Amino acid sequence: MILEAVMLQVKKGMEQEYEEDFRKVSKIISSIKGYISHELQRCMEAEGKYLLLVRWETLEDHTVGFRQSHEYQEWKNQLHHFYDPFPTVEHFQKVDLS
């Protein structure tokens, strides 16, 4: 499993609209092959700051399967105008601590 982590900064005053739109387009990402789950967290200390966590079966499910899909274009059109600055996406793999 791969964890995609994205720190998002939403433009001031657009937070409620962003959350509403994010709810609507969540069905897009959840329809992609290799998708496991996602969650959006609102920062308690910084206005407009969010953390998006998406779990994928493989890195390629995100970087190829989603990012190169028609569905991603719809996702992008619905959400990317909210961000300033544009977020950096990072991928993580669980460390075995046993």
Side-chain angles (χ1 to χ4, degrees):
M1 186 212 54
I2 299 298
L3 178 65
E4 171 194 355
V6 189
M7 195 65 67
L8 305 164
Q9 184 62 49
V10 172
K11 295 174 187 173
K12 187 173 177 65
M14 299 183 80
E15 296 87 357
Q16 183 175 350
E17 182 183 354
Y18 173 70
E19 290 181 23
E20 291 169 5
D21 284 0
F22 193 94
R23 273 185 207 93
K24 292 175 189 172
V25 300
S26 284
K27 67 183 182 328
I28 293 172
I29 198 168
S30 62
S31 72
I32 301 299
K33 179 189 171 296
Y35 163 89
I36 298 171
S37 68
H38 74 285
E39 58 188 84
L40 183 66
Q41 303 277 334
R42 184 185 318 113
C43 182
M44 297 174 69
E45 291 81 20
E47 188 177 346
K49 189 173 187 179
Y50 294 83
L51 174 62
L52 172 61
L53 299 172
V54 185
R55 288 165 185 82
W56 297 97
E57 290 179 17
T58 68
L59 179 62
E60 292 74 20
D61 287 333
H62 176 235
T63 59
V64 178
F66 181 51
R67 283 283 184 89
Q68 295 181 15
S69 71
H70 172 73
E71 290 84 356
Y72 177 71
Q73 294 307 312
E74 186 178 346
W75 172 275
K76 181 176 157 181
N77 290 339
Q78 295 295 319
L79 297 177
H80 285 196
H81 68 279
F82 287 107
Y83 307 134
D84 187 27
F86 194 77
T88 300
V89 176
E90 297 177 305
H91 299 92
F92 296 85
Q93 195 167 33
K94 188 174 184 177
V95 175
D96 183 3
L97 300 177
S98 58

